[in-house]
Amino acid sequence: MAHTKRTLLTLFCWCSLSNILCAQIAPANSMRLYRTQSGHYAFHTLLNDRVLSSVMIESGIHAALIDSAFIHKHQHELGLAIRPNNMNKEINLGGTVYRITHRAKGNLKMNGCVYEGEFLVLSHYRNETEVTIPIQRLRQKDDWGSRIVMLDIKNNQMRMLTRNELRSWDCPRHKMNHRSYMRMPAISTTIAITTSESTLFLEGNFNIDLGNPMPLYLREQSLGVQQLLDENKAITLTAGYNQRGEIVAQAFKPFGCEILGHSFTLPTICITDKLQRFTTDGLIGLPLFTEHAVAFDFDNDYLYIQE
């Protein structure tokens, strides 16, 4: 009887562990997303089929970011070649400055896809996830290494699509480009902004920012943005301050705006002079990607948005 109880207890423990892992790690080629406190989206996975980790997705970085303690603890399982950092020593992420202690190169496999390229090793980076991956650098392990990423944030899903699967997407598509800082993905388009007096049009090139909670975030240095403000006195800006009392951004709230054919009512649009290295006119933020499933075809530089 005691042996039977021990056997049942062992089976129960294995089943419980299996349920936990299944709840955290989605099937091959699919990732179950969850929202972090900062508003970014992440998923749990087994890196290289060996190391359980949380991974954040981003579009506004050019290389993967990884916590220094995490990579040193799991260097053998991850198989990454680490070297001391002799280049830029710091990186500013959303106002927080991290020290780049090392750089690394290699591959990370996760749920049917692969990240291959450079890693910036950051000191004390593990605040929400151990790893952050630029979504534009993910590719399939199969399907000839295609780079087609589907995001269905409304249903908390991210999945790698095959070329054949993408052919069934009968919906509008928009051409992307890399004419931006660090060749981050961007879209040239005309954005309509409706105020109390008229509808304004801002033509420009805008980075895709999957970590920005605003539908539109504009660069004050942009000539197009300056002209928009100078010629439309109905736009009243309200300053936003950090804890030190410094102005970090200004904002206004029009009646509405339309981005890539999708409308937003009473949106908050921010303007900042802090994106000094950027060359685009601003950023298109997360709200565009939360109500509709989208597919990023990074092989051919097209963004598909389902209706």
Side-chain angles (χ1 to χ4, degrees), residues 76-252:
H76 177 70
E77 298 100 311
L78 297 178
L80 299 177
I82 305 174
R83 67 185 188 278
N85 176 41
N86 297 318
M87 301 172 65
N88 295 333
K89 298 293 185 179
E90 294 180 337
I91 184 171
N92 189 322
L93 300 173
T96 302
V97 178
Y98 294 92
R99 187 165 61 93
I100 306 173
T101 62
H102 297 77
R103 292 174 181 258
K105 279 193 174 182
N107 301 340
L108 281 186
K109 296 183 294 183
M110 58 198 92
N111 292 53
C113 65
V114 179
Y115 170 82
E116 180 179 1
E118 186 178 22
F119 295 79
L120 302 182
V121 182
L122 308 185
S123 178
H124 302 293
Y125 178 64
R126 186 180 177 180
N127 51 0
E128 293 186 302
T129 63
E130 294 89 1
V131 183
T132 298
I133 297 290
I135 192 173
Q136 63 270 25
R137 300 291 297 276
L138 289 176
R139 63 177 176 83
Q140 291 240 37
K141 286 197 295 186
D142 303 315
D143 196 45
W144 304 96
S146 60
R147 297 183 300 140
I148 309 171
V149 184
M150 185 276 287
L151 284 181
D152 185 358
I153 291 179
K154 192 173 183 179
N155 293 305
N156 297 315
Q157 186 186 24
M158 169 178 155
R159 190 161 70 86
M160 304 299 294
L161 298 181
T162 65
R163 183 64 52 194
N164 283 335
E165 288 176 316
L166 183 62
R167 291 191 181 100
S168 67
W169 280 54
D170 184 17
C171 61
R173 69 177 188 175
H174 308 273
K175 187 65 177 176
M176 297 188 292
N177 65 75
H178 299 276
R179 301 188 305 272
S180 60
Y181 176 60
M182 293 292 184
R183 292 185 51 79
M184 293 180 290
I187 289 183
S188 291
T189 187
T190 298
I191 295 174
I193 301 173
T194 303
T195 69
S196 58
E197 296 184 355
S198 62
T199 298
L200 317 175
F201 297 95
L202 175 61
E203 182 179 354
N205 197 30
F206 303 87
N207 280 109
I208 296 169
D209 188 355
L210 296 178
N212 198 316
M214 308 294 179
L216 189 60
Y217 208 91
L218 302 177
R219 287 182 64 245
E220 188 175 315
Q221 295 90 337
S222 160
L223 294 179
V225 172
Q226 291 177 11
Q227 184 177 357
L228 180 79
L229 297 176
D230 291 342
E231 296 179 357
N232 297 280
K233 301 306 179 183
I235 297 178
T236 302
L237 298 178
T238 302
Y241 300 86
N242 61 17
Q243 294 179 345
R244 296 187 296 273
E246 302 166 333
I247 297 177
V248 293
Q250 300 181 85
F252 67 100

Side-chain angles (χ1 to χ4, degrees), residues 8 49 279 288:
L8 291 174
D49 300 320
T279 57
L288 180 64

